[in-house]
Amino acid sequence: MSAKGSVGAAGATSPDPFAQVRSRGYVRLLVVAAVLGVPISAGAYGFLALVDGLQSWTYADLPKALGFQGTPPWWPLPLLAVAGLLVGLTIRCLPGTGGHKPAEGLSVSGAPRPVELPGVLLAAVATLGLGAVLGPEGPLIMLGSGVAVWLVRLFKPAVPPPVEAMVGAAGSFAAVSTLLGSPITGAFLLMEVSGIGGPMLGIVLVPGLLAAGIGSLVFVGLDNWTGLGTYSLALQDVPQANSPTVAEFGWALVIGLAAAFVGTGIRQSALLLQSRVERHLVPATVLMGLAVAGLAIAYAEGSGKAATEVLYSGQAALGPLLANSAGYTVGTSMLLVACKGLAYTASLGAFRGGPIFPAMFLGAAGGIALSHLPGLQLTSAFAMGIGAMSVAMLRLPLTSVLLATLLLGAQGLTVMPLVIVAVVVAYVVTLRLSPAPAGGSEAGAGKDSAPA
Protein backbone atom coordinates (compact mmCIF):
# COMPACT_ATOMS: atom_id res chain seq x y z
CA MET A 1 0.00 0.00 0.00
CA SER A 2 1.15 3.52 -0.69
CA ALA A 3 1.58 6.06 2.06
CA LYS A 4 -1.37 7.97 0.65
CA GLY A 5 -3.55 4.88 0.67
CA SER A 6 -2.74 4.10 4.25
CA VAL A 7 -3.17 7.61 5.60
CA GLY A 8 -5.98 8.99 3.44
CA ALA A 9 -6.29 12.65 2.61
CA ALA A 10 -3.21 14.84 2.84
CA GLY A 11 -2.40 15.75 6.40
CA ALA A 12 -5.02 13.40 7.84
CA THR A 13 -4.36 10.41 10.04
CA SER A 14 -6.33 7.21 10.37
CA PRO A 15 -8.90 7.35 13.17
CA ASP A 16 -7.84 5.58 16.33
CA PRO A 17 -10.10 2.53 16.62
CA PHE A 18 -9.48 2.40 20.37
CA ALA A 19 -10.38 6.01 21.06
CA GLN A 20 -13.82 5.01 22.26
CA VAL A 21 -12.30 2.51 24.70
CA ARG A 22 -10.59 5.42 26.45
CA SER A 23 -13.79 7.45 26.60
CA ARG A 24 -16.12 7.81 29.56
CA GLY A 25 -18.93 6.41 27.47
CA TYR A 26 -17.12 3.08 27.11
CA VAL A 27 -16.59 2.87 30.85
CA ARG A 28 -20.31 3.46 31.33
CA LEU A 29 -20.98 0.72 28.78
CA LEU A 30 -18.87 -1.71 30.83
CA VAL A 31 -20.85 -0.83 33.94
CA VAL A 32 -24.11 -1.39 32.04
CA ALA A 33 -22.82 -4.76 30.75
CA ALA A 34 -21.92 -5.86 34.27
CA VAL A 35 -25.30 -4.79 35.65
CA LEU A 36 -27.21 -6.44 32.80
CA GLY A 37 -25.29 -9.67 33.32
CA VAL A 38 -27.09 -10.30 36.63
CA PRO A 39 -30.77 -10.29 35.61
CA ILE A 40 -30.18 -11.79 32.17
CA SER A 41 -28.11 -14.71 33.43
CA ALA A 42 -30.62 -15.27 36.25
CA GLY A 43 -33.38 -15.31 33.66
CA ALA A 44 -31.39 -17.76 31.51
CA TYR A 45 -30.94 -20.01 34.54
CA GLY A 46 -34.68 -19.89 35.18
CA PHE A 47 -35.38 -20.70 31.53
CA LEU A 48 -33.12 -23.75 31.62
CA ALA A 49 -34.60 -24.89 34.94
CA LEU A 50 -38.10 -24.54 33.48
CA VAL A 51 -37.21 -26.61 30.42
CA ASP A 52 -35.51 -29.29 32.52
CA GLY A 53 -38.46 -29.49 34.89
CA LEU A 54 -40.95 -29.60 32.02
CA GLN A 55 -39.08 -32.49 30.40
CA SER A 56 -39.18 -34.54 33.60
CA TRP A 57 -42.79 -33.69 34.39
CA THR A 58 -44.23 -34.36 30.93
CA TYR A 59 -42.27 -37.55 30.21
CA ALA A 60 -42.05 -39.24 33.63
CA ASP A 61 -44.36 -37.64 36.20
CA LEU A 62 -47.45 -36.98 34.08
CA PRO A 63 -47.94 -40.61 32.94
CA LYS A 64 -47.75 -41.77 36.56
CA ALA A 65 -50.22 -39.07 37.60
CA LEU A 66 -52.61 -40.38 34.93
CA GLY A 67 -52.44 -43.90 36.39
CA PHE A 68 -49.80 -45.58 34.21
CA GLN A 69 -47.20 -47.79 35.89
CA GLY A 70 -44.46 -46.09 33.91
CA THR A 71 -44.06 -44.12 30.72
CA PRO A 72 -45.94 -46.00 27.94
CA PRO A 73 -43.93 -46.73 24.79
CA TRP A 74 -46.35 -44.62 22.73
CA TRP A 75 -46.12 -41.61 25.06
CA PRO A 76 -43.89 -39.47 22.78
CA LEU A 77 -46.72 -39.32 20.19
CA PRO A 78 -49.12 -37.05 22.12
CA LEU A 79 -46.20 -35.17 23.64
CA LEU A 80 -44.71 -34.20 20.26
CA ALA A 81 -48.13 -33.59 18.71
CA VAL A 82 -48.84 -30.99 21.40
CA ALA A 83 -45.36 -29.51 20.85
CA GLY A 84 -46.02 -29.16 17.12
CA LEU A 85 -49.42 -27.59 17.72
CA LEU A 86 -48.06 -25.05 20.22
CA VAL A 87 -45.05 -24.12 18.10
CA GLY A 88 -47.11 -23.83 14.92
CA LEU A 89 -49.71 -21.61 16.59
CA THR A 90 -47.01 -19.47 18.21
CA ILE A 91 -45.28 -18.86 14.89
CA ARG A 92 -48.57 -18.10 13.15
CA CYS A 93 -50.30 -15.97 15.78
CA LEU A 94 -47.59 -14.05 17.68
CA PRO A 95 -45.34 -11.30 16.31
CA GLY A 96 -42.09 -12.47 14.78
CA THR A 97 -41.39 -16.01 13.69
CA GLY A 98 -40.93 -17.59 17.12
CA GLY A 99 -37.19 -16.98 16.91
CA HIS A 100 -34.62 -17.73 14.27
CA LYS A 101 -35.07 -20.73 12.00
CA PRO A 102 -32.55 -23.35 13.15
CA ALA A 103 -32.22 -24.94 9.70
CA GLU A 104 -30.60 -21.69 8.58
CA GLY A 105 -27.97 -21.80 11.34
CA LEU A 106 -27.33 -19.58 14.34
CA SER A 107 -27.93 -15.88 13.86
CA VAL A 108 -26.90 -12.72 15.74
CA SER A 109 -28.29 -10.32 13.15
CA GLY A 110 -29.78 -7.97 15.75
CA ALA A 111 -31.85 -8.00 18.90
CA PRO A 112 -35.51 -8.95 18.44
CA ARG A 113 -38.15 -6.32 19.16
CA PRO A 114 -39.74 -6.48 22.63
CA VAL A 115 -43.05 -7.53 21.09
CA GLU A 116 -41.33 -10.60 19.58
CA LEU A 117 -39.85 -11.89 22.85
CA PRO A 118 -42.99 -13.75 24.08
CA GLY A 119 -43.12 -15.71 20.82
CA VAL A 120 -39.43 -16.63 21.08
CA LEU A 121 -39.93 -17.80 24.66
CA LEU A 122 -43.12 -19.81 24.07
CA ALA A 123 -41.83 -21.54 20.92
CA ALA A 124 -38.59 -22.46 22.67
CA VAL A 125 -40.26 -23.83 25.80
CA ALA A 126 -42.68 -25.96 23.75
CA THR A 127 -39.86 -27.22 21.51
CA LEU A 128 -37.32 -28.01 24.21
CA GLY A 129 -39.65 -29.10 26.98
CA LEU A 130 -41.78 -31.52 24.96
CA GLY A 131 -39.12 -33.50 23.14
CA ALA A 132 -38.07 -31.94 19.82
CA VAL A 133 -34.41 -32.47 18.93
CA LEU A 134 -32.96 -28.98 19.34
CA GLY A 135 -30.96 -27.12 21.99
CA PRO A 136 -31.49 -23.96 24.05
CA GLU A 137 -28.60 -21.86 22.75
CA GLY A 138 -30.45 -20.23 19.84
CA PRO A 139 -33.40 -18.95 21.89
CA LEU A 140 -31.10 -17.86 24.72
CA ILE A 141 -28.99 -15.77 22.33
CA MET A 142 -32.11 -14.01 21.05
CA LEU A 143 -33.74 -13.60 24.45
CA GLY A 144 -30.52 -12.32 26.03
CA SER A 145 -29.93 -9.67 23.38
CA GLY A 146 -33.59 -8.67 23.21
CA VAL A 147 -34.02 -8.28 26.96
CA ALA A 148 -30.73 -6.36 27.26
CA VAL A 149 -31.72 -3.81 24.62
CA TRP A 150 -35.24 -3.53 26.07
CA LEU A 151 -33.92 -2.85 29.59
CA VAL A 152 -31.52 -0.17 28.37
CA ARG A 153 -34.25 1.52 26.31
CA LEU A 154 -36.44 1.72 29.41
CA PHE A 155 -33.95 4.17 30.91
CA LYS A 156 -32.59 5.73 27.71
CA PRO A 157 -34.97 5.49 24.73
CA ALA A 158 -32.58 7.08 22.22
CA VAL A 159 -29.75 4.55 22.16
CA PRO A 160 -27.25 4.96 19.27
CA PRO A 161 -27.19 1.87 17.01
CA PRO A 162 -23.52 0.98 17.76
CA VAL A 163 -24.18 1.10 21.50
CA GLU A 164 -27.37 -0.90 21.06
CA ALA A 165 -25.44 -3.57 19.14
CA MET A 166 -22.85 -3.88 21.92
CA VAL A 167 -25.55 -3.99 24.61
CA GLY A 168 -27.35 -6.74 22.69
CA ALA A 169 -24.10 -8.69 22.32
CA ALA A 170 -23.44 -8.39 26.05
CA GLY A 171 -26.91 -9.76 26.75
CA SER A 172 -26.26 -12.75 24.49
CA PHE A 173 -22.91 -13.39 26.21
CA ALA A 174 -24.58 -13.36 29.63
CA ALA A 175 -27.38 -15.69 28.53
CA VAL A 176 -25.05 -18.43 27.24
CA SER A 177 -22.26 -17.75 29.74
CA THR A 178 -21.88 -21.33 31.04
CA LEU A 179 -24.19 -23.29 28.75
CA LEU A 180 -21.32 -24.60 26.59
CA GLY A 181 -19.11 -25.47 29.56
CA SER A 182 -17.12 -22.24 29.72
CA PRO A 183 -17.65 -18.51 29.07
CA ILE A 184 -14.72 -18.70 26.65
CA THR A 185 -16.47 -21.26 24.44
CA GLY A 186 -19.61 -19.13 24.38
CA ALA A 187 -17.56 -16.05 23.54
CA PHE A 188 -15.86 -17.77 20.59
CA LEU A 189 -19.24 -19.04 19.38
CA LEU A 190 -20.72 -15.54 19.30
CA MET A 191 -17.58 -14.04 17.75
CA GLU A 192 -17.53 -16.56 14.91
CA VAL A 193 -21.25 -16.28 14.27
CA SER A 194 -21.12 -12.47 14.14
CA GLY A 195 -18.02 -12.40 11.94
CA ILE A 196 -16.55 -9.40 13.81
CA GLY A 197 -12.81 -8.98 13.33
CA GLY A 198 -10.01 -6.47 13.62
CA PRO A 199 -9.98 -3.78 16.31
CA MET A 200 -13.77 -3.91 16.63
CA LEU A 201 -13.48 -7.46 17.95
CA GLY A 202 -11.84 -6.37 21.18
CA ILE A 203 -14.14 -3.38 21.58
CA VAL A 204 -17.24 -5.56 21.42
CA LEU A 205 -15.67 -8.54 23.18
CA VAL A 206 -14.73 -6.83 26.45
CA PRO A 207 -18.29 -5.87 27.53
CA GLY A 208 -19.50 -9.29 26.42
CA LEU A 209 -16.84 -11.15 28.41
CA LEU A 210 -17.61 -9.01 31.46
CA ALA A 211 -21.32 -9.86 31.19
CA ALA A 212 -20.45 -13.54 30.67
CA GLY A 213 -18.18 -13.57 33.72
CA ILE A 214 -20.90 -12.04 35.87
CA GLY A 215 -23.35 -14.55 34.37
CA SER A 216 -21.12 -17.48 35.29
CA LEU A 217 -21.00 -16.32 38.90
CA VAL A 218 -24.77 -15.96 38.94
CA PHE A 219 -25.20 -19.51 37.58
CA VAL A 220 -22.88 -20.91 40.25
CA GLY A 221 -24.62 -18.93 42.98
CA LEU A 222 -28.08 -20.05 41.88
CA ASP A 223 -26.87 -23.65 41.72
CA ASN A 224 -25.60 -23.45 45.30
CA TRP A 225 -28.83 -21.78 46.41
CA THR A 226 -31.35 -23.97 44.59
CA GLY A 227 -29.42 -27.22 44.11
CA LEU A 228 -30.95 -27.59 40.64
CA GLY A 229 -27.61 -27.74 38.82
CA THR A 230 -25.51 -25.41 36.69
CA TYR A 231 -27.04 -26.55 33.36
CA SER A 232 -23.55 -26.42 31.91
CA LEU A 233 -22.18 -28.84 29.35
CA ALA A 234 -19.84 -31.17 31.25
CA LEU A 235 -18.54 -34.74 31.23
CA GLN A 236 -17.34 -36.83 34.15
CA ASP A 237 -14.86 -39.73 34.14
CA VAL A 238 -13.57 -39.33 30.59
CA PRO A 239 -11.57 -42.44 29.55
CA GLN A 240 -7.81 -42.04 29.29
CA ALA A 241 -6.54 -41.04 25.84
CA ASN A 242 -3.10 -42.09 24.66
CA SER A 243 -0.96 -40.03 22.29
CA PRO A 244 -2.36 -39.89 18.75
CA THR A 245 -1.15 -42.51 16.31
CA VAL A 246 -0.67 -42.46 12.57
CA ALA A 247 -3.73 -44.68 12.20
CA GLU A 248 -5.84 -42.20 14.16
CA PHE A 249 -4.79 -39.34 11.88
CA GLY A 250 -6.07 -41.50 9.04
CA TRP A 251 -9.32 -41.97 10.94
CA ALA A 252 -9.52 -38.17 11.40
CA LEU A 253 -9.70 -37.84 7.61
CA VAL A 254 -12.43 -40.50 7.42
CA ILE A 255 -14.49 -38.99 10.25
CA GLY A 256 -14.18 -35.48 8.84
CA LEU A 257 -15.27 -36.65 5.40
CA ALA A 258 -18.19 -38.69 6.74
CA ALA A 259 -19.41 -35.85 8.96
CA ALA A 260 -19.35 -33.44 6.03
CA PHE A 261 -21.64 -35.66 3.95
CA VAL A 262 -23.99 -36.47 6.85
CA GLY A 263 -24.15 -32.85 8.03
CA THR A 264 -24.76 -31.50 4.55
CA GLY A 265 -27.52 -34.04 4.02
CA ILE A 266 -29.22 -33.08 7.28
CA ARG A 267 -28.93 -29.36 6.62
CA GLN A 268 -30.20 -29.47 3.04
CA SER A 269 -33.02 -31.84 3.95
CA ALA A 270 -34.04 -29.57 6.82
CA LEU A 271 -34.12 -26.51 4.56
CA LEU A 272 -36.27 -28.44 2.09
CA LEU A 273 -38.62 -29.51 4.89
CA GLN A 274 -38.78 -25.95 6.20
CA SER A 275 -40.08 -24.65 2.90
CA ARG A 276 -42.75 -27.36 2.86
CA VAL A 277 -43.76 -26.86 6.50
CA GLU A 278 -44.23 -23.12 6.06
CA ARG A 279 -46.92 -23.70 3.42
CA HIS A 280 -49.18 -25.50 5.94
CA LEU A 281 -47.64 -24.31 9.16
CA VAL A 282 -49.74 -25.74 12.00
CA PRO A 283 -50.67 -29.18 10.60
CA ALA A 284 -47.20 -29.67 9.11
CA THR A 285 -45.49 -28.83 12.40
CA VAL A 286 -47.73 -31.32 14.21
CA LEU A 287 -46.83 -33.90 11.55
CA MET A 288 -43.11 -33.26 12.10
CA GLY A 289 -43.63 -33.69 15.82
CA LEU A 290 -45.30 -37.05 15.24
CA ALA A 291 -42.39 -38.04 12.98
CA VAL A 292 -39.90 -37.26 15.75
CA ALA A 293 -41.99 -39.29 18.19
CA GLY A 294 -42.21 -42.22 15.78
CA LEU A 295 -38.43 -42.27 15.36
CA ALA A 296 -37.92 -42.26 19.12
CA ILE A 297 -40.36 -45.16 19.52
CA ALA A 298 -38.70 -47.10 16.70
CA TYR A 299 -35.29 -46.69 18.34
CA ALA A 300 -36.58 -47.76 21.75
CA GLU A 301 -38.31 -50.85 20.31
CA GLY A 302 -35.34 -51.78 18.12
CA SER A 303 -32.61 -51.29 20.72
CA GLY A 304 -34.28 -51.87 24.08
CA LYS A 305 -32.98 -48.51 25.26
CA ALA A 306 -34.80 -45.34 26.27
CA ALA A 307 -36.67 -43.27 23.69
CA THR A 308 -35.27 -40.16 25.39
CA GLU A 309 -31.91 -40.88 23.73
CA VAL A 310 -33.53 -39.76 20.48
CA LEU A 311 -35.71 -37.04 22.01
CA TYR A 312 -34.45 -33.70 23.33
CA SER A 313 -31.18 -31.93 22.56
CA GLY A 314 -28.78 -34.60 23.77
CA GLN A 315 -26.90 -32.26 26.11
CA ALA A 316 -27.71 -34.23 29.26
CA ALA A 317 -27.31 -37.55 27.43
CA LEU A 318 -23.71 -37.00 26.27
CA GLY A 319 -22.18 -38.00 29.60
CA PRO A 320 -24.18 -41.22 30.02
CA LEU A 321 -23.54 -42.09 26.36
CA LEU A 322 -19.78 -41.98 26.92
CA ALA A 323 -19.90 -43.63 30.34
CA ASN A 324 -22.04 -46.52 29.06
CA SER A 325 -20.46 -46.81 25.62
CA ALA A 326 -19.51 -50.44 26.23
CA GLY A 327 -23.21 -51.28 26.23
CA TYR A 328 -23.72 -49.96 22.70
CA THR A 329 -22.99 -52.38 19.88
CA VAL A 330 -22.14 -51.05 16.44
CA GLY A 331 -25.69 -51.82 15.33
CA THR A 332 -27.26 -49.99 18.27
CA SER A 333 -25.00 -46.98 17.79
CA MET A 334 -25.81 -46.78 14.09
CA LEU A 335 -29.55 -47.11 14.81
CA LEU A 336 -29.21 -44.25 17.29
CA VAL A 337 -27.39 -42.10 14.72
CA ALA A 338 -30.04 -42.83 12.08
CA CYS A 339 -33.06 -42.15 14.30
CA LYS A 340 -31.54 -39.13 16.04
CA GLY A 341 -30.34 -37.72 12.71
CA LEU A 342 -33.76 -38.00 11.09
CA ALA A 343 -35.46 -36.56 14.19
CA TYR A 344 -32.92 -33.73 14.18
CA THR A 345 -33.72 -33.02 10.52
CA ALA A 346 -37.46 -32.86 11.20
CA SER A 347 -36.93 -30.62 14.23
CA LEU A 348 -34.65 -28.24 12.31
CA GLY A 349 -37.25 -27.88 9.60
CA ALA A 350 -40.24 -27.19 11.84
CA PHE A 351 -39.41 -26.26 15.44
CA ARG A 352 -37.47 -23.48 17.17
CA GLY A 353 -34.21 -23.98 19.03
CA GLY A 354 -30.48 -24.26 18.54
CA PRO A 355 -28.55 -26.74 16.39
CA ILE A 356 -25.45 -27.29 18.53
CA PHE A 357 -26.20 -30.05 21.04
CA PRO A 358 -27.92 -32.51 18.67
CA ALA A 359 -24.98 -32.14 16.28
CA MET A 360 -22.56 -32.89 19.12
CA PHE A 361 -24.60 -35.92 20.20
CA LEU A 362 -24.76 -37.30 16.65
CA GLY A 363 -21.01 -36.92 16.25
CA ALA A 364 -20.37 -38.57 19.60
CA ALA A 365 -22.64 -41.54 18.79
CA GLY A 366 -21.01 -41.95 15.38
CA GLY A 367 -17.56 -41.81 16.95
CA ILE A 368 -18.50 -44.48 19.47
CA ALA A 369 -19.70 -46.73 16.64
CA LEU A 370 -16.40 -46.28 14.78
CA SER A 371 -14.33 -46.88 17.93
CA HIS A 372 -15.09 -50.60 17.59
CA LEU A 373 -12.86 -50.63 14.50
CA PRO A 374 -9.08 -51.23 14.69
CA GLY A 375 -6.69 -48.36 15.36
CA LEU A 376 -9.16 -45.93 16.95
CA GLN A 377 -9.42 -45.14 20.65
CA LEU A 378 -12.82 -44.43 22.20
CA THR A 379 -11.98 -40.95 23.51
CA SER A 380 -10.32 -39.91 20.26
CA ALA A 381 -13.29 -41.12 18.20
CA PHE A 382 -15.76 -39.43 20.57
CA ALA A 383 -13.94 -36.09 20.34
CA MET A 384 -13.36 -36.20 16.58
CA GLY A 385 -17.01 -37.08 15.98
CA ILE A 386 -18.19 -34.12 18.06
CA GLY A 387 -15.83 -31.65 16.39
CA ALA A 388 -16.46 -32.83 12.83
CA MET A 389 -20.24 -32.98 13.13
CA SER A 390 -20.38 -29.61 14.89
CA VAL A 391 -18.48 -27.85 12.13
CA ALA A 392 -20.52 -29.61 9.45
CA MET A 393 -23.70 -28.15 10.93
CA LEU A 394 -22.44 -24.80 12.29
CA ARG A 395 -19.65 -23.82 9.85
CA LEU A 396 -17.71 -22.50 12.88
CA PRO A 397 -14.31 -24.28 12.95
CA LEU A 398 -12.75 -22.67 16.01
CA THR A 399 -15.86 -23.12 18.13
CA SER A 400 -16.14 -26.74 17.00
CA VAL A 401 -12.57 -27.50 18.07
CA LEU A 402 -13.20 -25.90 21.47
CA LEU A 403 -16.48 -27.76 21.96
CA ALA A 404 -14.80 -31.09 21.32
CA THR A 405 -11.66 -30.54 23.39
CA LEU A 406 -12.61 -28.38 26.38
CA LEU A 407 -15.49 -30.76 27.07
CA LEU A 408 -12.99 -33.61 27.70
CA GLY A 409 -10.81 -31.71 30.17
CA ALA A 410 -7.20 -32.91 30.31
CA GLN A 411 -7.90 -35.65 27.77
CA GLY A 412 -9.03 -32.99 25.31
CA LEU A 413 -5.52 -31.58 25.09
CA THR A 414 -4.21 -35.02 24.13
CA VAL A 415 -6.67 -35.52 21.29
CA MET A 416 -6.74 -31.90 20.09
CA PRO A 417 -4.44 -32.51 17.07
CA LEU A 418 -6.81 -35.22 15.85
CA VAL A 419 -9.84 -33.01 16.40
CA ILE A 420 -8.25 -30.17 14.44
CA VAL A 421 -7.61 -32.43 11.44
CA ALA A 422 -11.14 -33.85 11.53
CA VAL A 423 -12.67 -30.36 11.86
CA VAL A 424 -10.62 -28.89 9.02
CA VAL A 425 -11.49 -31.76 6.68
CA ALA A 426 -15.18 -31.58 7.57
CA TYR A 427 -15.23 -27.78 7.21
CA VAL A 428 -13.60 -27.68 3.78
CA VAL A 429 -15.62 -30.59 2.38
CA THR A 430 -18.87 -29.16 3.79
CA LEU A 431 -18.27 -25.84 2.04
CA ARG A 432 -17.48 -27.68 -1.19
CA LEU A 433 -20.67 -29.73 -0.97
CA SER A 434 -22.93 -26.79 -0.12
CA PRO A 435 -24.48 -24.69 -2.88
CA ALA A 436 -23.04 -21.20 -3.22
CA PRO A 437 -25.44 -18.77 -1.46
CA ALA A 438 -26.69 -15.62 -3.11
CA GLY A 439 -24.66 -12.58 -2.12
CA GLY A 440 -21.58 -14.62 -1.25
CA SER A 441 -22.45 -15.47 2.34
CA GLU A 442 -24.72 -17.97 4.02
CA ALA A 443 -27.24 -17.15 6.69
CA GLY A 444 -26.10 -18.22 10.08
CA ALA A 445 -22.62 -19.20 8.91
CA GLY A 446 -20.88 -16.01 9.87
CA LYS A 447 -18.11 -14.79 7.62
CA ASP A 448 -16.86 -18.24 6.83
CA SER A 449 -16.95 -18.29 3.07
CA ALA A 450 -13.86 -19.84 1.54
CA PRO A 451 -12.18 -19.19 -1.76
CA ALA A 452 -13.25 -21.45 -4.59
Side-chain angles (χ1 to χ4, degrees):
M1 294 177 63
S2 66
K4 181 178 179 180
S6 60
V7 174
T13 58
S14 299
D16 182 1
F18 299 105
Q20 57 183 304
V21 178
R22 294 187 284 269
S23 68
R24 293 182 180 178
Y26 193 78
V27 175
R28 289 195 293 269
L29 176 62
L30 292 178
V31 173
V32 169
V35 172
L36 287 174
V38 176
I40 291 175
S41 57
Y45 185 93
F47 171 84
L48 294 171
L50 172 63
V51 168
D52 184 69
L54 187 60
Q55 290 176 354
S56 298
W57 181 77
T58 56
Y59 197 83
D61 298 338
L62 182 58
K64 293 179 181 178
L66 293 175
F68 295 101
Q69 294 299 316
T71 303
W74 49 262
W75 189 253
L77 289 170
L79 210 62
L80 270 298
V82 171
L85 179 63
L86 293 176
V87 172
L89 289 175
T90 299
I91 296 171
R92 169 174 287 179
C93 300
L94 294 183
T97 58
H100 81 278
K101 301 173 183 179
E104 298 175 4
L106 288 173
S107 173
V108 289
S109 57
R113 296 174 298 153
V115 72
E116 297 175 357
L117 294 177
V120 175
L121 178 62
L122 290 174
V125 169
T127 292
L128 305 175
L130 298 179
V133 187
L134 291 171
E137 68 282 354
L140 282 178
I141 289 172
M142 293 197 72
L143 291 169
S145 62
V147 170
V149 172
W150 173 67
L151 289 174
V152 169
R153 283 178 175 171
L154 286 178
F155 298 96
K156 188 177 181 181
V159 180
V163 175
E164 180 179 302
M166 285 191 279
V167 167
S172 295
F173 273 69
V176 297
S177 54
T178 63
L179 183 65
L180 300 176
S182 165
I184 297 299
T185 309
F188 276 108
L189 169 69
L190 293 171
M191 287 188 309
E192 280 199 288
V193 172
S194 65
I196 298 175
M200 280 304 299
L201 175 60
I203 294 171
V204 176
L205 180 61
V206 171
L209 282 176
L210 179 59
I214 298 294
S216 297
L217 294 175
V218 170
F219 266 63
V220 172
L222 288 173
D223 175 34
N224 292 332
W225 180 46
T226 64
L228 295 175
T230 61
Y231 303 108
S232 177
L233 182 63
L235 294 179
Q236 304 295 331
D237 301 323
V238 177
Q240 178 73 32
N242 298 321
S243 298
T245 64
V246 174
E248 286 183 317
F249 277 102
W251 278 115
L253 300 176
V254 173
I255 291 173
L257 188 63
F261 279 95
V262 173
T264 300
I266 290 174
R267 187 182 179 97
Q268 295 303 319
S269 298
L271 288 170
L272 183 63
L273 272 178
Q274 176 181 285
S275 65
R276 302 293 191 273
V277 167
E278 290 175 345
R279 298 176 187 174
H280 308 282
L281 186 59
V282 176
T285 307
V286 172
L287 182 61
M288 289 299 101
L290 292 174
V292 172
L295 289 162
I297 295 170
Y299 170 73
E301 294 299 313
S303 66
K305 297 187 179 294
T308 51
E309 293 184 3
V310 170
L311 302 177
Y312 308 116
S313 70
Q315 176 187 359
L318 267 176
L321 179 68
L322 179 60
N324 302 317
S325 58
Y328 289 79
T329 64
V330 175
T332 300
S333 297
M334 295 310 297
L335 180 63
L336 177 57
V337 169
C339 291
K340 186 85 170 184
L342 291 172
Y344 182 30
T345 303
S347 299
L348 285 168
F351 290 88
R352 293 295 182 264
I356 294 178
F357 292 117
M360 295 178 66
F361 187 90
L362 276 178
I368 289 174
L370 291 174
S371 69
H372 292 272
L373 298 174
L376 185 58
Q377 301 177 73
L378 171 62
T379 303
S380 301
F382 185 86
M384 286 190 288
I386 289 176
M389 197 65 200
S390 296
V391 80
M393 294 303 302
L394 302 177
R395 321 294 176 88
L396 307 175
L398 182 55
T399 299
S400 299
V401 171
L402 291 176
L403 284 171
T405 55
L406 294 184
L407 177 63
L408 300 178
Q411 307 306 319
L413 296 177
T414 302
V415 301
M416 183 180 284
L418 299 171
V419 172
I420 291 173
V421 173
V423 166
V424 169
V425 171
Y427 179 65
V428 173
V429 175
T430 297
L431 292 183
R432 291 288 184 180
L433 291 174
S434 302
S441 63
E442 185 169 348
K447 308 296 183 182
D448 60 7
S449 58

